[in-house]
Amino acid sequence: MGVNLPRKELFDVPEGVIYLDGNSLGVLPKGAAERAQKTITEEWGGQLIKAWNTAGWMALPQLVGDRIGELIGAPAGSVATGDTLSIKVYQALAAAIKMRPDRKVILSDNGNFPSDLYMAEGLIKTLDQGYELRAPAPEDVAEAITEEVAVVMLTQVDYRSGRMHDMNAITKRAHEVGAVMIWDLAHSAGALQVDMAGSNAEFAVGCTYKYLNGGPGAPAFIYVRPDIVDNIEPALSGWLGHDVPFAMELNYRPASATERMRVGTPPILQLGVLQEALKAWDGVDMGDLRAASQRLSDLFIKEVEARCPMLTLASPRDANTRGSQVSFAFEHGYAAMQAIIDRGVIGDFRAPNIMRFGFTPLYLDDADIVAAAKIIEDVMTNEHWRAEKYNVRSRVT
Amino acid sequence: MGVNLPRKELFDVPEGVIYLDGNSLGVLPKGAAERAQKTITEEWGGQLIKAWNTAGWMALPQLVGDRIGELIGAPAGSVATGDTLSIKVYQALAAAIKMRPDRKVILSDNGNFPSDLYMAEGLIKTLDQGYELRAPAPEDVAEAITEEVAVVMLTQVDYRSGRMHDMNAITKRAHEVGAVMIWDLAHSAGALQVDMAGSNAEFAVGCTYKYLNGGPGAPAFIYVRPDIVDNIEPALSGWLGHDVPFAMELNYRPASATERMRVGTPPILQLGVLQEALKAWDGVDMGDLRAASQRLSDLFIKEVEARCPMLTLASPRDANTRGSQVSFAFEHGYAAMQAIIDRGVIGDFRAPNIMRFGFTPLYLDDADIVAAAKIIEDVMTNEHWRAEKYNVRSRVT
């Protein structure tokens, strides 16, 4: 048994806000500001260059990687942190295709987050060796895994619908045909029970600013299966992935294990805040978390459907095939979401018509869900969203 | 005429420290801690996901890029920020080689920072198309620029010796033989008068945690010459380099100008601190800065040579061919530097035998230089560095 959920006391959420967007940017953990002060004033200001040793900056990426590893079922040393998720996708993909040199197909799905597909496109163009990216509908992926496929690259939870791939079944299918498996855990880490080791997938990547509450632009992570990592020649072979960075050798020699997937100088300020944020996971049982997530999501669907007939559920109804978010389709979804946000219930909108709500059991309880549903009902039924101000698009939604 | 230098009042340097390592990690600007607090507490904590618009996070990378552009003679819109310097090297190199598809040689030098060479190695292995990396001695580069060369990739100021390449002459030579030019400005931005537009080089990359005082792991930057950028197909084609990131299109379409060289979600916390740090450059005339840098460096050489005959100058004696650092070779350089640091004069050591001192006119004056030289003299002549504790190597030096 883990600690009781939620743990609202560990977070600062503004008064009057019900935050259903932790799947996009997690809330502020209480220790974050103090940690940033310490990093800046005591460490950078006080210890200057020496802080790489004296304040433990050199060790920080690995410590944070190991902590994330615990949350996704990955052994110590198998997760490296740094860069952005897009960069980590590129690293995984570049390594994976080299493992199947006789195959030219990269298989993803059209519900994958666009940046993952874009990074694949960029790699394919850069290589210019006849690779092909296939992106069928998510439900057609399993049967598209054929012996032509070098790499299957999927985001476990669809960023729009919340639809969840069966990680073990898809990985097994990929391996049956000899393909390499990459999972993007952007909407999984801190949201689901993930068992990377048990899945047997070769690679996983993810970000830390969503369910892990690392803050805006927090560093990403990459997992490489321990039995294959020693054969990986990193495409992005930066000095901090070198076996002995400060020997300043002229030639690259990869560091041991997943450390080789590090690239450049780590973002210490953001890593420190992330490390602080991860403390909120101490003692949390991921089974409890998943149960709470499903309870909150089911309750939200029930409440919203009962109150808002104009909204169409765009997520799987079965909680076992859904991540920790619920989406509704609505023609005027952009305007409606702006009006709802104006009332203190924060979700977000994804083109073309998806109103998206995320559920974060660390800082949400049943009462929040019911209160949110009532506000959504008021906005939808009284058509507050028709106000002109809600129909002017800003760049980010 | 610019503001008077130094501007010590803008920085927090610990009492009793003479910091000659701003070429590795710049000191703490006074506004940094407060800015981080604002980003964390008011923006992340108070505005949550909305802060991407309301706090201006979306615009931050470009604003910071434009400010850096002013310091390196690059027009607005031609500099993008984010990621690490190694990633930016990869982006520039991957783009540059596509511009000369009939050539297979990448030319650098063996005084380049190892990570630049490692990234080239990684790209070459990943492409597996017969590319070759050549790295002659820095003084032999000019004559190694032949018509076989696709790309010349150099760091302007040698990280060990401080030796400076003639940017305009080398660029001109590269263009004469039809090669593409990439400059790494790691030790140039904020240290020298740089005129990217005037140089006519196609690409430049750099970091911001050295002379620009952005803090540990501050984001990097990349410059692309405006007349060629529209033809660049980025290898690292992430969603924030897409023309319309939030349209969530399935296919990549590059954003206009250098914005296309952005990749993933920007590190907002570090970018905010960097933006704050860059305020120290307001009103600074880069000619004044270079003059002060040369005066400080010349004074240091004169003082140290007069006091420490056991140290051998490892930097060019002519200030016009030297960056903003001075290096001395000494067999026991590692131990000697530790002993000097223990006395409050902070430089650093680079394998195999280089004691390195950087000069940052924003926060150093002549009196600092003379005081530092006296302390170095005491450590060297009394052989304090022979103490056993100084001869045990830690990982980072």
Side-chain angles (χ1 to χ4, degrees):
Chain A
M1 277 296 290
V3 294
N4 286 334
L5 298 174
R7 320 180 78 180
K8 293 189 179 198
E9 69 282 5
L10 300 182
F11 300 93
D12 275 323
V13 179
E15 275 289 311
V17 164
I18 302 173
Y19 195 64
L20 306 182
D21 210 9
N23 53 322
S24 186
L25 174 68
V27 300
L28 174 61
K30 277 200 171 131
E34 195 181 324
R35 175 60 178 264
Q37 284 309 287
K38 183 166 183 276
T39 303
I40 292 175
T41 306
E42 284 181 39
E43 297 174 5
W44 175 16
Q47 301 166 44
L48 291 160
I49 189 70
K50 293 185 285 186
W52 286 102
N53 290 315
T54 53
W57 291 352
M58 277 311 290
L60 195 52
Q62 195 54 65
L63 286 175
V64 171
D66 284 347
R67 184 68 188 98
I68 293 169
E70 292 171 355
L71 300 177
I72 61 169
S78 67
V79 174
T81 53
D83 308 300
T84 63
L85 175 50
S86 295
I87 295 291
K88 294 306 178 201
V89 165
Y90 188 89
Q91 286 186 293
L93 205 46
I97 58 171
K98 296 285 182 188
M99 295 170 67
R100 298 294 179 271
D102 52 329
R103 300 184 181 194
K104 296 291 182 190
V105 174
I106 297 168
L107 178 68
S108 186
D109 71 40
N110 64 21
N112 202 349
F113 189 68
S115 201
D116 293 28
L117 303 175
Y118 302 162
M119 294 307 287
E121 270 189 83
L123 178 62
I124 288 170
K125 274 197 182 166
T126 300
L127 291 173
D128 194 18
Q129 287 165 13
Y131 281 93
E132 176 195 346
L133 174 63
R134 293 182 188 166
E139 56 274 23
D140 297 333
V141 162
E143 74 183 85
I145 302 176
T146 64
E147 294 192 351
E148 287 179 288
V149 174
V151 184
V152 182
M153 173 187 76
L154 297 169
T155 298
Q156 187 185 10
V157 177
D158 189 301
Y159 76 106
R160 281 183 297 204
S161 69
R163 180 190 185 281
M164 197 166 83
H165 281 298
D166 183 330
M167 181 180 283
N168 290 336
I170 296 267
T171 304
K172 185 159 174 282
R173 173 71 190 145
H175 289 172
E176 278 167 4
V177 302
V180 177
M181 187 74 225
I182 302 173
W183 286 107
D184 179 338
L185 305 177
H187 294 269
S188 305
L192 307 175
Q193 287 175 288
V194 178
D195 179 10
M196 281 321 304
S199 79
N200 209 30
E202 284 85 353
F203 299 92
V205 294
C207 66
T208 64
Y209 47 75
K210 297 178 183 290
Y211 294 92
L212 299 181
N213 309 304
F221 65 86
I222 183 166
Y223 160 85
V224 186
R225 207 176 68 195
D227 65 302
I228 62 162
V229 72
D230 289 341
N231 296 320
I232 302 291
E233 294 188 315
L236 303 177
S237 45
W239 72 310
L240 287 179
H242 191 281
D243 192 36
V244 197
F246 286 87
M248 305 288 175
E249 296 176 2
L250 282 178
N251 292 106
Y252 180 76
R253 288 190 295 116
S256 64
T258 311
E259 190 92 352
R260 73 185 57 195
M261 302 308 260
R262 288 178 57 187
V263 185
T265 303
I268 292 302
L269 197 48
Q270 309 248 190
L271 271 168
V273 168
L274 172 58
Q275 188 183 42
E276 200 64 36
L278 292 172
K279 291 181 181 169
W281 294 93
D282 290 351
V284 173
D285 178 284
M286 298 307 278
D288 292 350
L289 182 99
R290 176 65 170 150
S293 157
Q294 293 186 325
R295 190 191 71 241
L296 294 168
S297 312
D298 282 342
L299 178 61
F300 185 78
I301 293 172
K302 179 175 145 251
E303 290 286 333
V304 171
E305 287 194 326
R307 296 164 187 277
C308 307
M310 70 294 286
L311 298 183
T312 306
L313 184 66
S315 295
R317 193 169 292 279
D318 175 5
N320 292 316
T321 61
R322 196 176 64 218
S324 202
Q325 67 172 76
V326 169
S327 298
F328 286 96
F330 181 56
E331 187 191 351
H332 306 286
Y334 176 80
M337 185 55 84
Q338 302 316 305
I340 290 167
I341 289 171
D342 239 19
R343 294 284 302 277
V345 176
I346 303 183
D348 62 24
F349 173 80
R350 286 293 177 261
N353 66 342
I354 294 294
M355 298 169 68
R356 192 173 72 151
F357 303 91
F359 302 93
T360 49
L362 287 192
Y363 51 86
L364 287 174
D365 59 24
D366 292 11
D368 293 320
I369 302 307
V370 175
K374 285 181 180 166
I375 289 169
I376 294 168
E377 176 184 20
D378 182 58
V379 170
M380 298 308 299
T381 55
N382 290 302
E383 302 200 349
H384 297 304
W385 54 267
R386 287 196 184 273
E388 195 179 356
K389 65 174 172 173
Y390 297 129
N391 286 279
V392 180
R393 291 254 184 147
S394 59
R395 180 160 173 209
V396 190
T397 54
Chain B
M1 278 295 291
V3 294
N4 287 334
L5 297 175
R7 322 180 76 180
K8 293 189 178 198
E9 70 282 5
L10 300 183
F11 300 94
D12 275 322
V13 179
E15 275 290 310
V17 164
I18 301 173
Y19 194 64
L20 305 182
D21 211 10
N23 53 322
S24 187
L25 175 68
V27 301
L28 173 62
K30 277 199 170 131
E34 194 181 326
R35 175 59 179 264
Q37 284 309 289
K38 183 166 184 274
T39 304
I40 293 175
T41 306
E42 283 181 38
E43 297 174 5
W44 176 15
Q47 301 165 43
L48 291 159
I49 189 70
K50 292 185 285 186
W52 286 102
N53 290 315
T54 54
W57 291 353
M58 278 310 292
L60 195 52
Q62 196 53 64
L63 285 175
V64 172
D66 284 347
R67 184 69 187 96
I68 292 169
E70 291 171 354
L71 300 177
I72 61 169
S78 68
V79 174
T81 55
D83 308 300
T84 63
L85 175 50
S86 295
I87 295 291
K88 293 306 177 201
V89 166
Y90 188 89
Q91 286 185 293
L93 206 46
I97 58 172
K98 295 286 181 187
M99 294 169 67
R100 297 295 178 271
D102 51 331
R103 300 184 181 195
K104 294 292 181 188
V105 175
I106 297 168
L107 178 68
S108 186
D109 70 41
N110 65 20
N112 202 347
F113 189 68
S115 202
D116 292 27
L117 303 175
Y118 302 162
M119 294 307 288
E121 271 190 82
L123 177 62
I124 287 170
K125 273 197 182 165
T126 299
L127 291 173
D128 194 17
Q129 288 165 13
Y131 282 94
E132 177 194 345
L133 174 63
R134 292 183 189 165
E139 55 274 22
D140 299 332
V141 161
E143 74 184 86
I145 302 175
T146 64
E147 293 192 352
E148 286 179 288
V149 175
V151 183
V152 182
M153 173 187 76
L154 296 169
T155 298
Q156 187 186 11
V157 177
D158 189 302
Y159 76 107
R160 281 183 297 205
S161 69
R163 180 191 185 280
M164 198 165 84
H165 281 298
D166 182 331
M167 181 180 283
N168 289 335
I170 296 267
T171 304
K172 185 158 174 281
R173 172 73 189 144
H175 288 171
E176 276 167 6
V177 302
V180 177
M181 188 73 226
I182 302 174
W183 287 106
D184 180 338
L185 305 178
H187 294 269
S188 307
L192 307 175
Q193 288 174 286
V194 178
D195 179 10
M196 283 320 305
S199 79
N200 208 31
E202 284 84 354
F203 298 92
V205 295
C207 66
T208 64
Y209 46 76
K210 297 178 184 292
Y211 295 92
L212 300 181
N213 309 304
F221 65 86
I222 184 167
Y223 161 84
V224 186
R225 206 176 68 195
D227 65 302
I228 62 163
V229 71
D230 288 342
N231 295 320
I232 303 290
E233 294 187 315
L236 304 177
S237 44
W239 72 309
L240 287 179
H242 191 282
D243 191 38
V244 197
F246 285 87
M248 305 289 175
E249 295 176 2
L250 283 178
N251 291 106
Y252 180 76
R253 287 191 294 119
S256 63
T258 311
E259 190 91 352
R260 72 184 59 195
M261 301 310 258
R262 289 179 56 187
V263 185
T265 304
I268 292 302
L269 197 47
Q270 310 249 188
L271 270 169
V273 168
L274 172 57
Q275 188 183 42
E276 200 64 36
L278 291 173
K279 291 181 183 170
W281 294 94
D282 290 350
V284 173
D285 178 285
M286 298 307 278
D288 292 349
L289 183 99
R290 176 67 171 150
S293 158
Q294 292 186 325
R295 191 191 72 241
L296 295 168
S297 311
D298 282 343
L299 178 61
F300 186 77
I301 292 173
K302 177 174 147 255
E303 290 287 332
V304 171
E305 287 193 325
R307 296 163 187 277
C308 307
M310 69 295 285
L311 298 183
T312 306
L313 184 66
S315 294
R317 193 170 292 280
D318 175 5
N320 292 316
T321 61
R322 197 176 63 219
S324 201
Q325 66 172 77
V326 168
S327 298
F328 286 95
F330 180 57
E331 186 189 353
H332 307 286
Y334 176 81
M337 186 54 85
Q338 302 315 305
I340 290 167
I341 290 170
D342 239 19
R343 295 285 302 277
V345 176
I346 303 184
D348 62 24
F349 173 80
R350 286 292 177 262
N353 67 342
I354 294 294
M355 298 169 67
R356 192 173 73 152
F357 303 91
F359 302 93
T360 47
L362 286 192
Y363 51 87
L364 286 174
D365 58 26
D366 291 11
D368 293 320
I369 301 307
V370 175
K374 286 181 180 167
I375 289 169
I376 294 168
E377 175 184 22
D378 182 57
V379 170
M380 298 308 300
T381 55
N382 291 302
E383 301 199 352
H384 297 304
W385 55 268
R386 287 197 183 274
E388 196 180 356
K389 66 173 172 174
Y390 297 130
N391 286 277
V392 180
R393 291 255 185 147
S394 60
R395 181 161 173 208
V396 190
T397 57

